[in-house]
Amino acid sequence: CMSASGFSELSLTFGLKNSAGNYLTAETFGFRVNAASKTLKKKQIFTLEEQGGKKFLRTHLNRYLTFKSDGKVQADADARGEDEAIALVGAGDGKLLIRTERGFYLGGNGEAIDAFTKKAEPDRLWTLQLAIHPQVCLRSVVRKRYVHLSKDALTIDEDIPWGSDAMITIQAYDDGRYSLIADDGRYLSETGALMAKADDSCKFMLEFAPGDMNMVAFRGRNKKYLSGVGAAGGLKATKDPVLPADGGEPGPGRDELFVLEDSQPQFKLKNVKFMKFASVRASVEILCNQPEAKDSEYFQFEINPATKQWSLFTSQRKFWSCLPDGSIQAITERAKRGPNEWFTVGWQGPRLTLTASNGKLVTAKPNGSCYATETVPSEESQFQFEIINRPKLVLRGEQGYVVTLPSGALECNRSIGEVFTMHVSKGFAHIASFNGKYWVVNNDKDRSVTASGAQPYPLMLEFLEHSKLAIKAEVAPGEFYYIQGHQNGGFFATGRAVDASTLWEY
C-alpha cells in the first residue's frame, strides 16, 4: 500500500530461526516443513498475512502453513482457515512463539517439526530475521515524518524522504539484532551518537506493534526503545516499555513505532549537449539550466510494473507531464497521474533517453526548455544519469545476497548482505567492498568479478523492474556483458540478456 507521500509500505517477509540456528523451511516437493537449513533463501522466506484479526504464514509457493489436530505441520493449504491461523507471541529478548488456534506452539528441529505442546520450551522459540531488502525509508507513525541524516544525528523531521540522507540501511546480525546505518556509513547508537564502527550500543532488537505487524520498534541493550527527542526528533533509545490497555505484555508505545517504506531510486539528469542538470528550481517547467544539482534537480523514478514505463516525481511532489504542445512540465499531483505522466526510458550505458506519451523523445532546447518533439536521437535528447540515494549499496539476487570473501572474490548466495560503497560519476558506477578495493571484471575464462581493484572500474546500471537493476560491464571494446549470479554463488560477467540471474534487488 501507499503512505500519504506516495511511498510504498513494504510487505513483511522474514525467516524464522530456531534455537539450533536452523531456519523454518517449506520444501518445494511434498509441501514438507522442516528446520534443517543454516541459510535464508527462497524456501525459508515467509510472508505474514492478516484477515479478520487473524494471522497466517504464506510460503514461497503461495500456500499456507497448516497445523493439523494431531500436531503435524504441512505447507500445502491453498486457502486460509482455522487450521492455518496463528498468533505471534513475544517471548522476550526479541524471541517469538508461534501459537496455533488450538493453543499449541510450533517448534522442533530438523525433520521433527510439530505443533503439539502448550509449553514454551526452548525449541519453541524463534528469532525473526527480516527478508525485505535492507535499504528503506523510516516513517514515524506519530510524527508522520521521515528519518534522515542531519549533520551528526538521525532526526525525524523530513516531510518526504528526499536525497541520500533519507536512505537507512538495516544491517542484520546472526543473533537477531539490527543496526541502523546512515547514508554516510555511520551506525546509530542508543545514545543518539553516530559511530564509525558498530559496538553493542548500536545493535537493537526488532519488535512489532501489537495488532499491526507493519509497524516496528527498535529496542536497545538498555531495554529502552528508539524514539524522537525534541522538536527535530533526534533518534535516541529513551522510552521504556508500556503496558497495553488489554493487560498483555509490555511493549512499544505509539511514539516508538515506525513504518518501513521502499527507498525508490532518485536520479539527477544532465543533458549531454548542454551539460546542465534538469531542474524545477525556477518554475514548473523542466529546464536544463543548472550547473549543480540539489533537491530541485533530483527526480524520483517510479515504475509501472505492468508497462515498465516510468513516472518522474519532483521534490515539490508533482509529476512530469507531457502537454499537448510537447512541453514537459511538473504540474500533476499523484492522484491525477494519467497516460501523459508516463515515459519510456531507454538505457544506453551511462546515458538514458525519455520517450513521452506522444511517442517523441524529450529534447532540450538551447534555452534549457524540454519538449517531446523529436524522433531522431541526438545529444539534446540524451541525459547522463546518476542515482543519488544509493551511496551504500546492498544487492540481492535469486540465490541470495552478494558479499566479499577474504580473498576478494564475490559470492551471491549469502543470507545476510554486505553494505558496499557506490560512487556514480558521469553515468558510470564505481563499487567498492569492505576491503577498500573496487569491483573489477577480470580477464580469466569465467570473467570473474572480484573486489581487487586499486582504481575505479566503470560499470553501467540499468533499472528495469521495481527495485531491481542489471549491472553491465564492457569487457572488451564494444563487447558488453551483464554480471550474472550462479547457483553455487559464482559472480561472473557472463550474462548476454536480462533475466532472473542478471537482475539484482537494490
Side-chain angles (χ1 to χ4, degrees):
C1 59
M2 287 285 189
S3 69
S5 66
F7 291 80
S8 302
E9 296 180 8
L10 293 166
S11 299
L12 186 64
T13 58
F14 51 82
L16 292 163
K17 186 163 60 174
N18 67 12
S19 58
N22 293 325
Y23 289 96
L24 190 68
T25 302
E27 295 290 357
T28 303
F29 299 105
F31 300 109
R32 294 182 300 107
V33 176
N34 61 45
S37 174
K38 293 291 186 184
T39 59
L40 179 63
K41 294 187 180 180
K42 181 171 65 176
K43 293 189 293 186
Q44 289 77 38
I45 293 176
F46 297 86
T47 301
L48 188 73
E49 295 186 356
E50 295 190 55
Q51 184 183 49
K54 297 181 180 181
K55 297 180 175 64
F56 308 86
L57 290 176
R58 178 165 55 85
T59 75
H60 65 104
L61 297 173
N62 286 321
R63 298 292 185 100
Y64 295 91
L65 288 191
T66 184
F67 309 95
K68 309 299 185 184
S69 59
D70 60 0
K72 289 183 179 179
V73 182
Q74 287 284 109
D76 58 352
D78 54 13
R80 298 174 296 196
E82 183 175 321
D83 285 348
E84 291 73 45
I86 61 165
L88 300 180
V89 182
D93 290 328
K95 301 293 192 297
L96 292 172
L97 292 161
I98 300 174
R99 188 176 63 213
T100 70
E101 280 284 278
R102 296 183 177 88
F104 297 116
Y105 293 116
L106 173 68
N109 192 39
E111 297 295 332
I113 299 296
D114 66 74
F116 208 52
T117 178
K118 295 186 177 182
K119 291 184 178 180
E121 301 289 355
D123 73 340
R124 307 287 123 172
L125 297 175
W126 300 92
T127 299
L128 184 151
Q129 182 178 322
L130 289 178
I132 61 171
H133 191 275
Q135 293 184 293
V136 300
C137 298
L138 280 179
R139 176 167 55 87
S140 167
V141 170
V142 168
R143 293 179 181 248
K144 296 182 173 60
R145 287 184 163 186
Y146 291 85
V147 175
H148 75 122
L149 176 63
S150 180
K151 295 182 180 178
D152 283 324
L154 288 179
T155 59
I156 315 171
D157 59 349
E158 186 148 278
D159 289 333
I160 59 174
W162 208 253
S164 63
D165 58 291
M167 187 204 70
I168 306 298
T169 301
I170 301 179
Q171 176 71 59
Y173 299 96
D174 287 334
D175 63 1
R177 294 187 293 173
Y178 297 85
S179 284
L180 301 182
I181 308 175
D183 80 303
D184 65 357
R186 290 185 290 172
Y187 296 79
L188 178 69
S189 166
E190 61 190 19
T191 66
L194 293 175
M195 316 277 283
K197 294 185 178 181
D199 61 18
D200 220 40
S201 72
C202 301
K203 298 178 181 180
F204 300 87
M205 297 305 302
L206 189 71
E207 297 187 9
F208 299 92
D212 192 342
M213 294 289 288
N214 289 318
M215 299 181 186
V216 300
F218 299 90
R219 183 163 56 85
R221 64 174 181 177
N222 62 2
K223 307 300 182 185
K224 297 179 184 293
Y225 293 100
L226 284 179
S227 65
V229 176
L235 272 185
K236 296 182 181 180
T238 60
K239 291 295 186 75
D240 291 313
V242 297
L243 280 170
D246 62 6
E249 292 290 322
R254 295 279 295 175
D255 284 344
E256 297 86 70
L257 294 176
F258 297 88
V259 175
L260 306 179
E261 296 184 2
D262 259 343
S263 175
Q264 303 202 60
Q266 295 170 359
F267 298 92
K268 52 185 179 182
L269 303 173
K270 180 183 280 188
N271 186 262
V272 172
K273 174 66 174 180
F274 303 109
M275 297 310 289
K276 296 291 179 66
F277 290 103
S279 175
V280 290
R281 186 176 303 185
S283 70
V284 298
E285 188 178 4
I286 307 300
L287 296 171
C288 293
N289 65 352
Q290 293 298 321
E292 297 181 351
K294 296 182 179 179
D295 281 0
S296 296
E297 291 71 52
Y298 300 157
F299 303 102
Q300 178 165 283
F301 280 43
E302 300 183 13
I303 195 169
N304 180 326
T307 66
K308 300 295 190 289
Q309 290 181 307
W310 298 82
S311 57
L312 280 65
F313 190 59
T314 74
S315 57
Q316 285 79 25
R317 306 191 192 193
K318 298 293 177 65
F319 286 95
W320 287 27
S321 296
C322 179
L323 275 59
D325 64 354
S327 63
I328 307 298
Q329 298 185 19
I331 58 174
T332 303
E333 297 177 355
R334 182 175 295 277
K336 297 181 179 179
R337 186 169 40 167
N340 292 331
E341 284 69 56
W342 293 99
F343 297 80
T344 299
V345 178
W347 304 102
Q348 300 176 355
R351 302 174 178 181
L352 61 76
T353 59
L354 296 166
T355 302
S357 54
N358 63 4
K360 305 292 180 62
L361 291 164
V362 175
T363 303
K365 305 301 182 182
N367 67 354
S369 298
C370 288
Y371 282 80
T373 56
E374 305 298 325
T375 56
V376 179
S378 64
E379 287 190 340
E380 288 89 340
S381 63
Q382 292 181 319
F383 298 85
Q384 281 185 2
F385 69 97
E386 298 179 7
I387 187 169
I388 58 92
N389 61 338
R390 285 299 186 278
K392 302 298 178 185
L393 185 69
V394 179
L395 293 173
R396 180 168 64 180
E398 62 176 345
Q399 308 302 334
Y401 285 102
V402 180
V403 301
T404 309
L405 302 182
S407 65
L410 294 166
E411 282 194 349
C412 62
N413 61 354
R414 298 305 176 94
S415 300
I416 295 177
E418 179 180 337
V419 182
F420 299 100
T421 300
M422 182 169 71
H423 176 67
V424 183
S425 177
K426 298 181 179 179
F428 290 100
H430 307 134
I431 304 174
S433 294
F434 75 91
N435 61 7
K437 300 290 187 180
Y438 289 98
W439 287 18
V440 298
V441 177
N442 297 292
N443 291 324
D444 54 27
K445 63 180 179 65
D446 294 322
R447 286 193 289 275
S448 62
V449 184
T450 59
S452 57
Q455 300 296 324
Y457 185 98
L459 297 165
M460 291 159 280
L461 307 179
E462 297 180 3
F463 297 80
L464 301 168
E465 294 188 9
H466 177 65
S467 298
K468 292 182 179 180
L469 58 78
I471 306 172
K472 184 188 284 186
E474 188 173 14
V475 300
E479 188 177 358
F480 298 92
Y481 284 87
Y482 292 102
I483 293 180
Q484 185 174 38
H486 296 261
Q487 191 168 3
N488 64 357
F491 196 65
F492 308 125
T494 52
R496 299 307 301 264
V498 173
D499 57 27
S501 68
T502 55
L503 283 174
W504 305 94
E505 189 178 0
Y506 63 92

